[in-house]
Amino acid sequence: MPNITLPDGSVRKFDASVTGLQLANDIGPGLAKAALMVLVDGVECDLDHEIKQDSNVSLITRSDDLALKLIRHDCAHVMAAAVQELFPETQVTIGPSIENGFYYDFFRKERFSQDDLETIEKRMHELIDRDDKVKREVWNRERAIEHYKGLNEPFKVELVEAIPEGEVLSFYRQGNFLDLCRGPHAPSTRHIGHAFKLMSVAGAYWRGDSSRPMLQRIYGTAWPDEKKLKAYLLMLEEAEKRDHRRLGRELDLFHMQEEAVGSIFWHEKGWTLYREIEAHVRRRLEAGAYREVKTPQLIDKALWEASGHWDKFRENMFTAESEDDRTLALKPMNCPGHVQIYKQGIKSYRDLPLRMAEFGSCHRNEPSGALHGIMRVRAFTQDDAHIFCTDDQITSESIIFCDLLRQIYKDFGFEDIHVKFSDRPEVRAGDDSTWDRAETALRNACDAAGLETTLNPGEGAFYGPKLEFVLRDAIGRDWQCGTLQVDFVLPERLDANYISQDGSKCRPVMLHRAVLGSMERWIGILIEQYSGRFPMWLAPVQGVVTTITGDADTYANIVFEKCKKAGLRIGKDLRNEKINYKIREHSQAKIPAILVVGEREEDQGTVAIRRLGGKTQEILALDEAINKLVQESTPPE
RNA sequence: GCUGCUUUAGCUCAGCUGGUAGAGCAUCUCAUUCGUAAUGAGAGGGUCAGGUGUUCAAGUCACCUAAGCAGCACCA
């Protein structure tokens, strides 16, 4: 005789157990029709799940956020059903919902083509219109394994075998299609709706393991309604327009070519942007009492062996031989170098915390498939620093760092940040008690800094746990940039010491930290964030002086020189072209301000400023205009 | 690295079933001196990613290599 408490607090009493659907009917037929699943004390269940005890229950319809996951998962099932109808020789494996959609991994000798995707999509619409009932069944292991063996579905057999003894094995049947699945699902296929689209097919390793067979993964996107689907597709188009690789070329920022795969040729404008970003971070670091250093590019492999990197990352390190037969490695990171500087002279507890920063250019031989524009390259520069401190200082240093990080992100227009806590990986250096200490210290620091974190299990660095700072850009994409890592291992391995208050020799802790991550990737992110329309202080060219006709050339030159003298990054365009033509060209080059001068401006000693994207102009006295632009070009305080 | 796809002028792309390259924009030249997102005319520009093969004949077909793209794996 369950008492059902609904989200609005009202309670319904039933004489016997009740299904979600019966409950929905009891509330109203409209709800019964719209309901997709039921949430019983926070657990997602099918609509025909029997509720036997007093519970808090809410019925989920397609307008709920939770429904999205369900619709996508259902969509994955329908896709698998469609594929098996069309291509019966295909083996099905797994198909979850993911951010923005779903996928399903198939094993099939022949490749799915783009045309196949269209055929599959068409069949999916038909299956949805068929409105097959979706029914849950519970099987025992032996039956499940026999079933899949009989169908020659070895991947499914493996899945069943991997499910721990004692766990319920549920299957879902819709029409002729049956799939091993935890559920829940909507009661019939029509609930999926038609706001979905198959996007692409690509390879994916079975169980994410590169030593195992490669399956074909079909990706799709699905939404509660057409409008949301369209909005998503539009967002993808927008992302493509913002692509830093396209804008990098269009705005003449950089290029890349075959002879230097994974390295960037920075053009003047891109390098200006780079230097401006570096200068800003440097200002913030100086204010934060960091000491900037520079360490060697090539270091004997002996140091990398001592640090442990050679063991773990040898494959990804570029090496060179010197005439005395030494093997040198291009540094893939800066920490061992920083420890060498730290170790010069005896350090006292009075020297700690010691914040050692470097814009460290590193080389890593990334696998070819990992390269992506300037976001993932083989030669990059970290805004790196290592804080050498005592155990007691970990918390305060972490808090100070988080403040710095938030400030810098804000300077670049990012305010939406979340933090991931990555704990010990399977393969690691240092014993468990050391890891206990490091993880506890970092957790305490998070608490003290008031950071909310999500756990990222097993994703820590091999020498210590880490925080990863993820920011959200203007079109809702997440980028992992900053990091803070606690390291008790490297100081030990490389024998870094300090003399404590009581005269004894102690190990410092190293905090590895970066805000931007890599300069190159950061610039890629900024290009996409701003869509190439950089704020004045970052814009490679802040303004262009241009003329209505050649009569204004002399005055334009005066304006240009004055702007230059005031420190503005200014260009001039005295070509004999129509003003429309020149406005269009500089607008397309995304120059923030166009300073137009003609006869009128010359007579009155003014300039007409037209802002990027604006339709109007602002007429100001020359000095006033320059002051204003200089003001706007000042980096964030 | 793995799977698939792609590679034609600086850029975006066309080139049917093999018969020896084309457009728009950009560039250059000339004319035009014009008030806020394209002035007109003309010219130049390509070992069709590289290589090997099939063929009387290859941008087009096959194979190899490289790079790029998407995803997977990797990411100190």
Side-chain angles (χ1 to χ4, degrees), chain A residues 5-17:
Chain A
T5 311
L6 297 171
D8 65 359
S10 64
V11 178
R12 278 169 195 259
K13 290 180 194 298
F14 293 89
D15 293 338
S17 68

Side-chain angles (χ1 to χ4, degrees), chain A residues 23 46 117 133 169 209 224 247 249 313 341 377 387 390 395 466 516 523 526 540 548 551 580:
Chain A
L23 173 67
D46 293 323
L117 288 197
K133 297 281 168 282
L169 282 186
D209 184 342
L247 286 170
R249 185 183 56 239
F313 294 110
I341 294 181
V377 286
I387 301 171
T390 66
T395 303
K466 60 183 180 185
L516 311 184
I523 293 171
L526 278 192
I548 302 288
D551 294 342
N580 281 316

Side-chain angles (χ1 to χ4, degrees), chain A residues 433-533:
Chain A
S433 69
T434 304
W435 274 89
D436 289 341
R437 264 166 75 212
E439 286 172 1
T440 307
L442 193 56
R443 281 223 171 80
N444 291 342
C446 289
D447 293 343
L451 284 185
E452 290 211 9
T453 61
T454 54
L455 185 65
N456 206 204
E459 295 294 319
F462 76 90
Y463 49 69
K466 60 183 180 185
L467 297 183
E468 283 156 343
F469 298 87
V470 180
L471 48 86
R472 179 153 294 179
D473 76 6
I475 56 171
R477 296 174 304 176
D478 287 342
W479 303 97
Q480 185 176 308
C481 296
T483 183
L484 172 65
Q485 311 174 2
V486 180
D487 182 2
F488 289 99
V489 175
L490 255 195
E492 180 79 35
R493 290 194 167 211
L494 298 178
D495 194 29
N497 307 299
Y498 69 93
I499 308 299
S500 73
Q501 231 153 340
D502 63 15
S504 62
K505 216 166 159 191
C506 295
R507 278 291 169 232
V509 181
M510 263 174 101
L511 303 180
H512 304 240
R513 42 108 298 165
V515 177
L516 311 184
S518 112
M519 295 292 289
E520 290 74 7
R521 181 156 174 276
W522 184 255
I523 293 171
I525 294 168
L526 278 192
I527 292 170
E528 304 204 355
Q529 159 83 353
Y530 290 120
S531 203
R533 302 167 160 231

Side-chain angles (χ1 to χ4, degrees), chain A residues 402-421:
Chain A
C402 288
D403 285 344
L404 174 75
L405 175 127
R406 275 187 279 235
Q407 178 64 57
I408 292 175
Y409 285 172
K410 196 170 161 223
D411 295 340
F412 288 103
F414 299 101
E415 308 230 18
D416 190 353
I417 299 159
H418 75 265
V419 187
K420 294 195 287 190
F421 186 107

Side-chain angles (χ1 to χ4, degrees), chain A residues 218-235:
Chain A
I218 302 182
Y219 282 94
T221 186
W223 300 87
D225 55 65
E226 278 302 319
K227 216 173 135 187
K228 290 210 169 75
L229 172 64
K230 277 210 178 108
Y232 174 68
L233 297 176
L234 211 69
M235 193 281 284

